[in-house]
C-alpha cells in the first residue's frame, strides 16, 4: 500500500516535470520491468534496451497516466 502511495506522489511530481520522481519510479520498478523484458526476449541486451525504453516512455507520456490507478499495468 505504501508503494502505491509513493507511486501516486511520484507520478504527480513527474507530471510537474520532476526528474527526481522519474528516478524514484525507476528505482522502485526497474527490476520488475527488466525481468519481464528478459522473459519476453530471452536476451539481456534487448531487455536492457526495453528497460530504458519503458522509462523514456514513462517520462514522455507522464501526462497521460492516471495517478489514481496502479502503475504496474502501464509499465507492462
Amino acid at each position: 500500500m505504501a508503494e502505491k502511495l509513493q507511486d501516486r506522489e511520484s507520478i504527480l511530481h513527474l507530471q510537474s516535470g520532476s526528474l527526481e520522481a522519474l528516478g524514484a519510479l525507476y528505482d522502485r520498478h526497474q527490476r520488475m520491468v527488466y525481468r519481464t523484458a528478459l522473459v519476453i526476449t530471452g536476451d539481456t541486451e534487448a531487455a536492457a534496451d526495453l528497460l530504458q525504453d519503458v522509462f523514456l516512455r514513462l517520462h514522455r507520456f507522464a501526462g497521460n497516466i492516471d495517478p489514481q490507478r496502479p502503475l504496474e499495468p502501464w509499465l507492462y
Side-chain angles (χ1 to χ4, degrees):
M1 182 91 168
E3 186 172 296
K4 291 185 191 308
L5 288 174
Q6 289 176 336
D7 284 352
R8 189 174 307 152
E9 290 177 17
S10 293
I11 291 167
L12 290 170
H13 288 292
L14 180 60
Q15 290 172 337
S16 297
S18 170
L19 290 180
E20 288 180 16
L22 181 63
L25 289 166
Y26 178 86
D27 290 344
R28 278 197 296 278
H29 296 286
Q30 61 94 14
R31 285 186 191 102
M32 181 267 307
V33 171
Y34 179 79
R35 284 192 310 252
T36 302
L38 186 58
V39 167
I40 291 169
T41 65
D43 181 293
T44 57
E45 288 181 33
D49 288 345
L50 285 171
L51 174 64
Q52 281 188 340
D53 190 48
V54 165
F55 284 93
L56 286 172
R57 287 174 187 251
L58 178 62
H59 181 257
R60 183 175 179 192
F61 298 109
N64 298 334
I65 298 171
D66 181 354
Q68 301 304 318
R69 302 190 74 187
L71 183 60
E72 288 87 354
W74 192 95
L75 293 171
Y76 280 109

